[in-house]
Structures are given as structure tokens and as C-alpha cells.
């Protein structure tokens, strides 16, 4: 029998249902694939990004500067150290009222409220309130009880000796980076490796835990040991300050050097500054003039010319030169001495510091050999102290006769104080020049020596015989009849030389009436243990090195001999007579002795230009009354212009300037208070 149900066609609804099931299954598979793909993207490709975003919600990273290495003197006394102090930070999002909180914090920390408020408003999660705050300031902030505040330890540079050696140390900025001096020169060695500190918060932003800083030893910089001696540095700075203040000068420098090793035992500058409070000092007051600045040294260079002439056998210790009785014309210029001298041998030339006879020695030596002699003593080349900006100095080749003459007594050339001291160190060390150095060694926290300087011979400049001859000649400078009897010591023989240099005027392109007074000496002369250079810039009471700088030398040398335990000199110093001789062996003239220099010699220009017809030199009327000044100017055929009343406090053009007759001279007057 035929089954009608089996042969019946499927209903249309059943087909639609099957299709819908297939579509839903496909859609489910598609959504599952999209979710899987998104999961792969988040877990694989954006893993680091999401981890950082998550940590940012509950972790705050604060970078902590590394603890800088310490700086010590030669005996281990700390000159620069780093101490841990609190720095204050805040999460501005946790402050209920940013403006009000800024005012409270500013009052407690003594900072500008508007600036602090603007800084907190710009920040979302973290802002420094004050770096390296004082303990009393931190206590005041904690007493406020504000939410979101944090405190972290940061290293702060501290100079326990205050002003002592500050120009050599330099200073660091708020970020712990060296800005000046050795702090800048050895930045890589002194700075350690910075670390980071993590702070944790809960879902509501509340602080749960602040991770402590890492072990300071793990991030500490290397220690630097210097050749400076704290005691000698103190004595040098004290004596220099006294000399500068008594002379009413603008600045001063002292360099003390061990001639046998080249070690710098003291490098002093004045005015001084406290690196703990650098904001109270000017940038110029922080400058290490002794190592960085160049200046015309004046007569302290004369022994180098004499030594070069003796070494080249251009002269002998018995050679004599006629000093032209105080004035010698070279072209359009006149070379002057402070006194009238006749015939002098090299010792007498150095003793009375004759510019004229020194110029004649330079003529005998020759241009090339004189310049080569200066270079051999280390001039016009950096000494290599590892200080940024160290001066080099210049020795121009003296083409003109007057340039040859002026360079023979230290004008028309420049040098640094360290160069001059190192040159005298070569004479004191039997003619062998040692490389001057300031840093003894650099050692990292693990004890590994990163740098170590040892005494290094640069070159033999002159023979031992010549060096001892020149040192013997320089002993006559500090006895009666020399230019620096105030440098003489009772128990030690001293050899040295004075210098009184005219300062160049870059505006007028000539020399001004300002001076640099200096004295450099070695003690004990028979076996020098120390070379000391004292420079006083623009003294106003006296301008001569023998009167201004020599007493400071004696004070430093006296302390140095006791500190270094040097036994007193047993041999007698040479006589006081100036070495003078007849002009030639065949002459039967009697020996003429130079006049003994008085305590306050009259000031004369070392080089003066001979007046041309129709010109006149401006007289010095500074300090004179109005009537007296006007009379002097009228007598010199000049037109006075008076400003104010009282006594003359300044004049333009300066005294000694060469002007045309009838020129106007402006006098500024003031009444003394």
C-alpha cells in the first residue's frame, strides 16, 4: 500500500529553521574569533603598554640622584662631601584644594606661592615641592598634614671647610651636576649611577608603601684625593686676604708648589666665596684666577731670561751691562728704571730689577733664543691641571726692538700664576721642570684606582750649574739693597724676585695706570722645599711687589717651614752688596755700586713713549684740590674741565697719557665724607 506521508515534500518552515541555526552558528564563531583575536592583541602585542598603564595607576617612579664621591686633601681631610637630605614631593590629584595647599606649602618652605601653585596645577600625579629642603622646613611641611605628600632622601653637596679651597673645588647644581672647578672636571668620576624609588597606591589613590632608596654604596661616585694641604691652603688664603685688604686691591692669587714633585700644595684666590651658599656670590668671585686667568707677569720673568742667556753662554755671571743711568731710548720709546744705575752684572740686575740692563741681555741672547727659553720654562702651554678653561698665555714673537726689550721684563706677554710658579720650580729643582698637578688619585667605591698622578719630569730646562747660579743671584733680592727685603726670613735663606707689571688697557690700546704687584720665592734657598707665588691685582696703597706681596710670602713661608718640619738653614746668605763691575777689564775706572733702593721708590713707567713736538703728558692731579689741579693743568698747556667740587677723584685722560697741547682734561671732584 502506498505511503502518502513518506512521499510528502518537506515544509518550508523546516528549511528556514535550519538556515537560521547555521547563520547563528556562523555568527557565534565570528564573535568568538574576534574575541580571540582581541585577546591575542592585548596579551601579545600590547602587553608592555597595558602593563605600564596598570602600574601607572598604583606605582610612582621617582629618580634618585647618585651620591657623589668625596674630595679630600692630601692628608685625608674632607673638602667636599655628599649628605642625605629630604626632598618634598606631592601628588596634586590628592589635594582637596591645590591653591590653598600651595599657599600653605610655600609659607612653610619659604618659596614663591604663585610659582608653586602653577607647577602643581600643571602636574597630574607627581610634582616636586622643594628639593633638598632643610630639616626645619620638612618638619613644618609634615605639621600641615596635607594628603598626597611624600618625602625622599636625596644627596646634597656639602663643603665642610666652607670657603677653604672653594675655587679649586668648584660647585654643583641642584641636579647634582658639576658646574665649576674639579666638580665639573671630574663629573664622570664623581657622579655615581642614579637609582629609582617606587611608591604604591591603592584603588582610591591612597599611599600604601614607599620603597626605600637603594644602598648608597651601590650608587656612590669615586673619591678624589688632591695634592692640596689643608693647613697650607688656610695659611695662604689668610695671608692673601690680609695683603689684598691692606693694599685695597681688587683681587689676589697665591700658588704654593713643591719643586721636587710638581705637587700644588695651595692654590688660593681672593675674594673668596662659600660654595654651600653660592647664590650669595657673583660668578666672577667664583673664578679660579690662579689657574685660569692670564696676565702680564712683569719682572718675575727676568730670572728666566738670565738663565737662558747663561745656558746659551751668551753671558757669564761676570758679564757687565751699562744701565744708562735710568733711561734708554729704543726707537720712539724710552725704557725706564726706577733709579739711576750704571754698570751692573747679572746678579745686580736681578737685585735692583733693572729693565734697561735686562733688555740689553735680551739683545745679546737674541729673539729666537729668548722665546725658546720662555717655552722651555713652560710658558705659552697649558700645564694640564685637568681644570676646564685653564689659561695658556701667549709669547708673541718680538719683531720690533721695543717688543724684545719689554718681553725681557715680562710685558707684552701673558702667563698664568701656575705657569710662573712651575717655572721657578724648575730653577729650584736644579734645572729640571716637573709637571704641576693637583689631583693625586681617583678611587672608586670598590677600591679600584681609576687615576693616579705621580711626579713627572717634563724636561731639563737648564743645567744644574746654571739653575744654582740663578738661585744664588735671587738671594740678593731679599737682602738690604734688593727690591724685597720684607721677604727675608730669620732662620731660612730665601731666593725670590719681585714683579710690578703695568696692566694693559684694551680700550685705549695701551697701558693704564693700574698695576699687578707680585713676589715669587723659594725656601730654603740652598735646597728649596717650596715655591710660593703671591699676586696682588690693582693695589692702591703701594704698587710694588716688594712692598705689597713680599710680606704675604714671608707669612706663608714661615708657616710652611714649620708645617713641613724643614730644619733651619745652616749656611750664610750672600752679602748685601749689589754685584757691580767696571765696563771692561782694561778700564781703570773704580767699581760703582748701585744706590740702595728706598722703601718707597718713585713710580715710573717701565716703557714710555718719547713726546713728539706739540704733545704733552697729562700730570697726575688725583687727590689734589680744585685750584691746585687747575693750576697744574694750565701750566702743562692743557684745558681743565671741572665737574663737581672738593678734591679730584678721577681724571680723563689718565695721568701720564700723551695728548696734544691744549687738549681738554676732565676732572671729577667730590667732597670727602
Amino acid at each position: 500500500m502506498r505511503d502518502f506521508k513518506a512521499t510528502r515534500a518537506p515544509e518550508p518552515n523546516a528549511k528556514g529553521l535550519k538556515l537560521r541555526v547555521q547563520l547563528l552558528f556562523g555568527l557565534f564563531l565570528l564573535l568568538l574569533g574576534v574575541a580571540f583575536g582581541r585577546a591575542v592583541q592585548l596579551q601579545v602585542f600590547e602587553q608592555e603598554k597595558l602593563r605600564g598603564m596598570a602600574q601607572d595607576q598604583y606605582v610612582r617612579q621617582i629618580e634618585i640622584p647618585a651620591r657623589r664621591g668625596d674630595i679630600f686633601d692630601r692628608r685625608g681631610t674632607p673638602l667636599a662631601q655628599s649628605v642625605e637630605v629630604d626632598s618634598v614631593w606631592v601628588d596634586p590629584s590628592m589635594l582637596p584644594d591645590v591653591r590653598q595647599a600651595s599657599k600653605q606649602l610655600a609659607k612653610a618652605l619659604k618659596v614663591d606661592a604663585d610659582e608653586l601653585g602653577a607647577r602643581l596645577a600643571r602636574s597630574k600625579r607627581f610634582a616636586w615641592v622643594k628639593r633638598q629642603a632643610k630639616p626645619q622646613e620638612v618638619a613644618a611641611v609634615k605639621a600641615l598634614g596635607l594628603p598626597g605628600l611624600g618625602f625622599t632622601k636625596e644627596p646634597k653637596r656639602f663643603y665642610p671647610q666652607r670657603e677653604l679651597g672653594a675655587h679649586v673645588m668648584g660647585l654643583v647644581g641642584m641636579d647634582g651636576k658639576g658646574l665649576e672647578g674639579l666638580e665639573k672636571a671630574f663629573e664622570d668620576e664623581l657622579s655615581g649611577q642614579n637609582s629609582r624609588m617606587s611608591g604604591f597606591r591603592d584603588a582610591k589613590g591612597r599611599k600604601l608603601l614607599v620603597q626605600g632608596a637603594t644602598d648608597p654604596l651601590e650608587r656612590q661616585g669615586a673619591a678624589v684625593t688632591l695634592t692640596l694641604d689643608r693647613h697650607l691652603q688656610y695659611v695662604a688664603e689668610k695671608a692673601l686676604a690680609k695683603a689684598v685688604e691692606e693694599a685695597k686691591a681688587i683681587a689676589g692669587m697665591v700658588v704654593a708648589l713643591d719643586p721636587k714633585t710638581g705637587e700644588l700644595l695651595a692654590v688660593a684666590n681672593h675674594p673668596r666665596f662659600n660654595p654651600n651658599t653660592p647664590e650669595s656670590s657673583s660668578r666672577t668671585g667664583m673664578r679660579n684666577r690662579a689657574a685660569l686667568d692670564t696676565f702680564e707677569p712683569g719682572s718675575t720673568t727676568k730670572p728666566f731670561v738670565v738663565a737662558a742667556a747663561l745656558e746659551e753662554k751668551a753671558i757669564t755671571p761676570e758679564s757687565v751691562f751699562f744701565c744708562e743711568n735710568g733711561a734708554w731710548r729704543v726707537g720712539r720709546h724710552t725704557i725706564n728704571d726706577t733709579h739711576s744705575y750704571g754698570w751692573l752684572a747679572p746678579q745686580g740686575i736681578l737685585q735692583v730689577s733693572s729693565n734697561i740692563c735686562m733688555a740689553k741681555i735680551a739683545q745679546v741672547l737674541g729673539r729666537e733664543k729668548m722665546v725658546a727659553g720662555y717655552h722651555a720654562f713652560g710658558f705659552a702651554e697649558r700645564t694640564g691641571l685637568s681644570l676646564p678653561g685653564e689659561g695658556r698665555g701667549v709669547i708673541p714673537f718680538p719683531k720690533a726692538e721695543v717688543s724684545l726689550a719689554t718681553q725681557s721684563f715680562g710685558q707684552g706677554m701673558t702667563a698664568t700664576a701656575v705657569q710662573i710658579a712651575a717655572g721657578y720650580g724648575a730653577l729650584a729643582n736644579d734645572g729640571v721642570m716637573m709637571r704641576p698637578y693637583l689631583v693625586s688619585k681617583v678611587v672608586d667605591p670598590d677600591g679600584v684606582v681609576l687615576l693616579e698622578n705621580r711626579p713627572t719630569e717634563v724636561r731639563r730646562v737648564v743645567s744644574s750649574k746654571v739653575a744654582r747660579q740663578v738661585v744664588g743671584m735671587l738671594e740678593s733680592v731679599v737682602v738690604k739693597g734688593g727690591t724685597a727685603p720684607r721677604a727675608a726670613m730669620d732662620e731660612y735663606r730665601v731666593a725670590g724676585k719681585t714683579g710690578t707689571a703695568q696692566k694693559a688697557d684694551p680700550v685705549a690700546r695701551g697701558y693704564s695706570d693700574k698695576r699687578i704687584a707680585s713676589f715669587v720665592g723659594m725656601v730654603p734657598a740652598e735646597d728649596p722645599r717650596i715655591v710660593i707665588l703671591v699676586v696682588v691685582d690693582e693695589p692702591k696703597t703701594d704698587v710694588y711687589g716688594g712692598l705689597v706681596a713680599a710680606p704675604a710670602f714671608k707669612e706663608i713661608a714661615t708657616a710652611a717651614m714649620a708645617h713641613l718640619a724643614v730644619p733651619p738653614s745652616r749656611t750664610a746668605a750672600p752679602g748685601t752688596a749689589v754685584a757691580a763691575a767696571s765696563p771692561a777689564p782694561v778700564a781703570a775706572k773704580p767699581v760703582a755700586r748701585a744706590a740702595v733702593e728706598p722703601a718707597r721708590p718713585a713710580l715710573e713707567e717701565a716703557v714710555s713713549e718719547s713726546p713728539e713736538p706739540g704733545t704733552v703728558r697729562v700730570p697726575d692731579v688725583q687727590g689734589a684740590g680744585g685750584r691746585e689741579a687747575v693750576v697744574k693743568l694750565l701750566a702743562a698747556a692743557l684745558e681743565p674741565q671741572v665737574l663737581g667740587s672738593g678734591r679730584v677723584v678721577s681724571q680723563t685722560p689718565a695721568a701720564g697719557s700723551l695728548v696734544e697741547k691744549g687738549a681738554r682734561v676732565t676732572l671729577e671732584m667730590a667732597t670727602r665724607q
Side-chain angles (χ1 to χ4, degrees):
M1 183 173 180
R2 190 173 179 182
D3 188 356
F4 292 100
K5 291 182 179 181
T7 58
R8 187 173 57 183
E11 296 182 1
N13 290 339
K15 293 182 179 180
L17 180 61
K18 183 178 181 179
L19 179 62
R20 285 195 297 272
V21 170
Q22 291 175 345
L23 289 175
L24 288 173
F25 182 73
L27 180 61
F28 176 75
L29 290 178
L30 178 63
L31 292 175
L32 185 63
V34 171
F36 180 78
R38 179 59 175 168
V40 171
Q41 180 186 11
L42 295 177
Q43 294 295 326
V44 178
F45 298 103
E46 297 186 8
Q47 179 182 14
E48 296 299 326
K49 176 182 176 182
L50 294 175
R51 180 182 289 116
M53 293 174 63
Q55 288 182 349
D56 187 58
Q57 293 180 359
Y58 65 88
V59 177
R60 174 62 58 194
Q61 293 288 336
I62 303 174
E63 186 174 14
I64 306 300
R67 184 181 186 277
R68 289 180 73 84
D70 298 335
I71 302 178
F72 302 96
D73 83 333
R74 65 188 298 113
R75 301 179 187 272
T77 302
L79 300 176
Q81 293 180 304
S82 291
V83 295
E84 298 289 333
V85 297
D86 283 308
S87 289
V88 185
W89 58 274
V90 69
D91 183 348
S93 65
M94 299 180 63
L95 295 174
D97 188 340
V98 174
R99 179 175 296 181
Q100 182 62 27
S102 299
K103 293 180 179 179
Q104 291 177 299
L105 290 171
K107 183 178 180 181
L109 295 171
K110 298 179 176 59
V111 296
D112 184 79
D114 295 335
E115 191 275 334
L116 178 60
R119 181 147 39 88
L120 297 185
R122 291 193 302 266
S123 305
K124 295 181 179 180
R125 294 291 186 180
F126 175 86
W128 286 113
V129 179
K130 185 171 184 179
R131 307 279 298 273
Q132 301 176 357
K134 298 178 181 179
Q136 57 269 30
E137 294 175 339
V138 173
V141 170
K142 290 181 178 179
L144 296 176
L146 295 174
L149 286 175
F151 304 88
T152 184
K153 294 289 184 182
E154 281 193 297
K156 179 180 180 181
R157 206 56 166 168
F158 174 64
Y159 301 89
Q161 309 299 328
R162 297 170 59 84
E163 294 89 352
L164 192 73
H167 298 87
V168 177
M169 299 304 105
L171 70 157
V172 298
M174 183 64 70
D175 58 355
K177 302 294 183 181
L179 301 178
E180 296 287 348
L182 291 174
E183 296 279 20
K184 181 178 181 180
F186 287 87
E187 171 63 27
D188 293 339
E189 292 82 1
L190 288 168
S191 61
Q193 186 173 0
N194 292 355
S195 62
R196 301 181 69 85
M197 186 189 73
S198 298
F200 298 92
R201 300 175 299 184
D202 63 8
K204 294 185 178 181
R206 293 173 298 189
K207 183 173 60 176
L208 299 178
L209 174 68
V210 175
Q211 177 185 324
T214 57
D215 185 356
L217 291 178
E218 296 180 3
R219 55 190 178 90
Q220 182 173 340
V224 177
T225 301
L226 307 183
T227 61
L228 296 182
D229 187 298
R230 176 186 175 278
H231 177 72
L232 295 182
Q233 181 74 24
Y234 170 77
V235 172
E237 292 187 7
K238 179 182 177 183
L240 178 63
K242 179 181 177 182
V244 171
E245 291 168 3
E246 288 183 350
K248 298 180 180 179
I250 63 170
M253 299 169 271
V254 167
V255 174
L257 174 142
D258 185 337
K260 301 184 186 299
T261 64
E263 295 173 295
L264 292 171
L265 303 178
V267 178
N269 293 268
H270 192 86
R272 301 198 294 171
F273 81 100
N274 187 348
N276 294 311
T277 56
E279 63 279 359
S280 61
S281 302
S282 64
R283 294 288 296 178
T284 56
M286 301 178 188
R287 186 172 178 81
N288 186 359
R289 299 169 182 260
L292 308 184
D293 287 5
T294 60
F295 57 94
E296 297 191 24
S299 296
T300 52
T301 64
K302 290 177 180 177
F304 305 131
V305 179
V306 171
L310 291 170
E311 184 70 14
E312 295 293 335
K313 296 181 172 52
I315 64 172
T316 68
E318 292 74 28
S319 299
V320 291
F321 297 87
F322 184 55
C323 297
E324 305 291 340
N325 295 318
W328 184 41
R329 190 178 180 88
V330 178
R332 296 178 56 249
H333 298 80
T334 301
I335 307 299
N336 300 306
D337 281 340
T338 56
H339 289 87
S340 175
Y341 303 118
W343 293 90
L344 294 177
Q347 176 176 319
I349 295 171
L350 293 176
Q351 182 178 10
V352 300
S353 196
S354 170
N355 296 328
I356 295 172
C357 282
M358 188 54 59
K360 291 189 174 183
I361 291 179
Q363 284 185 338
V364 175
L365 178 60
R367 292 173 171 79
E368 292 81 4
K369 291 182 178 179
M370 186 185 76
V371 173
Y374 275 135
H375 281 282
F377 276 101
F379 292 95
E381 65 180 35
R382 291 183 176 88
T383 58
L385 293 181
S386 300
L387 289 174
E390 181 187 0
R392 181 176 182 177
V394 294
I395 309 288
F397 188 80
K399 296 181 179 179
E401 286 293 329
V402 68
S403 298
L404 175 65
T406 56
Q407 284 189 21
S408 71
F409 48 83
Q411 300 273 186
M413 57 174 284
T414 59
T416 68
V418 175
Q419 286 176 332
I420 299 170
Y424 274 83
L427 292 175
N429 194 34
D430 284 342
V432 177
M433 185 173 186
M434 305 299 291
R435 179 178 64 87
Y437 64 99
L438 185 60
V439 176
S440 176
K441 60 182 177 180
V442 180
V443 183
D444 72 4
D446 296 327
V448 179
V449 179
L450 304 179
L451 170 69
E452 186 171 13
N453 284 319
R454 296 181 179 275
T456 304
E457 180 179 325
V458 179
R459 67 180 74 89
R460 174 168 284 281
V461 183
V462 294
S463 66
S464 175
K465 178 182 177 182
V466 168
R468 292 178 181 179
Q469 286 175 337
V470 175
V471 172
M473 295 176 185
L474 293 177
E475 287 191 73
S476 65
V477 174
V478 301
V479 298
K480 185 178 179 180
T483 56
R486 296 189 180 186
M489 302 174 65
D490 295 333
E491 297 183 340
Y492 297 91
R493 288 169 53 184
V494 177
K497 185 69 187 74
T498 56
T500 305
Q502 299 170 237
K503 291 190 70 172
D505 187 342
V507 178
R509 295 184 178 181
Y511 286 101
S512 67
D513 57 350
K514 300 174 182 177
R515 298 291 191 276
I516 294 179
S518 59
F519 179 85
V520 56
M522 57 193 79
V523 59
E526 68 276 9
D527 184 21
R529 290 287 305 277
I530 190 170
V531 172
I532 303 171
L533 168 66
V534 181
V535 180
V536 180
D537 191 3
E538 294 187 20
K540 295 179 176 61
T541 55
D542 288 305
V543 297
Y544 290 95
L547 302 176
V548 175
F553 163 86
K554 181 178 180 180
E555 182 176 347
I556 300 169
T558 301
M561 292 299 96
H563 184 64
L564 300 176
V566 179
S569 300
R570 290 190 173 88
T571 55
T576 61
V578 175
S582 56
V586 297
K589 296 180 181 179
V591 175
R593 296 187 178 272
V596 176
E597 184 173 1
R600 296 180 61 88
L603 178 62
E604 295 184 26
E605 301 289 344
V607 181
S608 59
E609 188 174 1
S610 302
E612 299 293 335
T615 62
V616 65
R617 291 199 178 277
V618 178
D620 185 3
V621 295
Q622 200 154 322
R627 182 184 298 275
E628 179 185 357
V630 169
V631 170
K632 284 186 177 180
L633 292 177
L634 293 175
L638 297 171
E639 178 185 349
Q641 182 181 22
V642 180
L643 301 178
S645 61
R647 292 188 173 273
V648 179
V649 294
S650 68
Q651 61 181 92
T652 306
S657 302
L658 197 63
V659 298
E660 295 183 358
K661 289 184 177 180
R664 177 176 296 177
V665 177
T666 302
L667 305 178
E668 183 178 349
M669 318 289 285
T671 303
R672 292 185 177 180
Q673 301 297 326

